[in-house]
Amino acid sequence: MAEKFETERRLTTFLLIDNNENKVVAFYSTTVGSLDSTAKEDDGTSVETHKFLNLAYFAVDRSYHKKGIGTSLIKELFKTATLVSYYVGIEMIYLESVDDAVDFYKSVGFQLSKPLQSPEAYHKNGIDTSKMGFDMFITINDLLEKGYLPNDNSISATYINND
């Protein structure tokens, strides 16, 4: 499935390779998506479309855990997302986390979409979460407030007054 998305340019995968060991250390794959939300207003119901960057896959080889590689990759993703937001108007990065990774994503700024449905809440009720997914997100505004900007000066804004 991922290969089909790659060839159709619907999914892009980034690899981090250890040249000394000649192996993939980490990777992540992204795609752009959108979701519609409805809101009741006095004059009827409105539909808003929200664009997001979907972090579809993210993994670091276990032998490279606890070395800052995951955090560094996420920070690069944050910079990329702020750049993408200028061109396609994404509002957030969205992902579905496995139980074991929720704390990592929280540590870099992601929030649970449904905070009351956290792994901890399920564990307190004796529910196994090893096969569950947890929706998480971080907004582009949060990233900008934290200072995540693209590495280069490729973004410039020009105001054109047509009056």
Side-chain angles (χ1 to χ4, degrees):
M1 181 72 106
E3 184 178 315
K4 178 181 177 192
F5 282 178
E6 283 276 349
T7 58
E8 293 176 2
R9 303 281 301 149
R10 293 192 290 173
L11 181 87
T12 303
T13 300
F14 301 87
L15 303 174
L16 178 62
I17 299 172
D18 181 338
N19 290 326
N20 294 329
E21 299 289 326
N22 197 28
K23 72 181 210 176
V24 174
V25 172
F27 75 95
Y28 67 88
S29 299
T30 59
T31 187
V32 176
S34 66
L35 60 95
D36 292 333
S37 64
T38 57
K40 291 194 176 198
E41 297 179 358
D42 293 337
D43 59 348
T45 301
S46 69
V47 176
E48 293 183 356
T49 300
H50 303 278
K51 293 180 183 174
F52 60 88
L53 183 69
N54 180 14
L55 180 56
Y57 302 100
F58 184 88
V60 177
D61 184 294
R62 288 195 190 279
S63 63
Y64 290 85
H65 280 196
K66 305 290 183 193
K67 296 182 180 183
I69 291 170
T71 301
S72 294
L73 273 180
I74 284 287
K75 288 179 178 182
E76 261 323 292
L77 173 67
F78 288 170
K79 292 174 187 176
T80 300
T82 59
L83 178 64
V84 170
S85 74
Y86 283 101
Y87 294 103
V88 296
I90 60 170
E91 299 174 40
M92 71 182 91
I93 302 172
Y94 164 85
L95 61 88
E96 185 177 316
S97 176
V98 295
D99 178 357
D100 293 346
V102 168
D103 287 339
F104 167 74
Y105 290 120
K106 282 182 177 179
S107 76
V108 294
F110 282 88
Q111 305 171 47
L112 286 165
S113 296
K114 298 176 183 175
L116 297 177
Q117 296 178 4
S118 67
E120 298 83 14
Y122 284 106
H123 295 161
K124 284 180 185 176
N125 292 310
I127 298 171
D128 178 26
T129 58
S130 62
K131 293 186 167 104
M132 295 176 74
F134 296 90
D135 295 344
M136 302 185 79
F137 72 94
I138 187 167
T139 68
I140 297 302
N141 284 340
D142 287 342
L143 296 177
L144 293 172
E145 286 174 11
K146 292 177 182 185
Y148 288 103
L149 295 171
N151 286 330
D152 62 13
N153 296 323
S154 63
I155 298 174
S156 62
T158 305
Y159 174 73
I160 300 173
N161 187 349
N162 291 325
D163 293 336

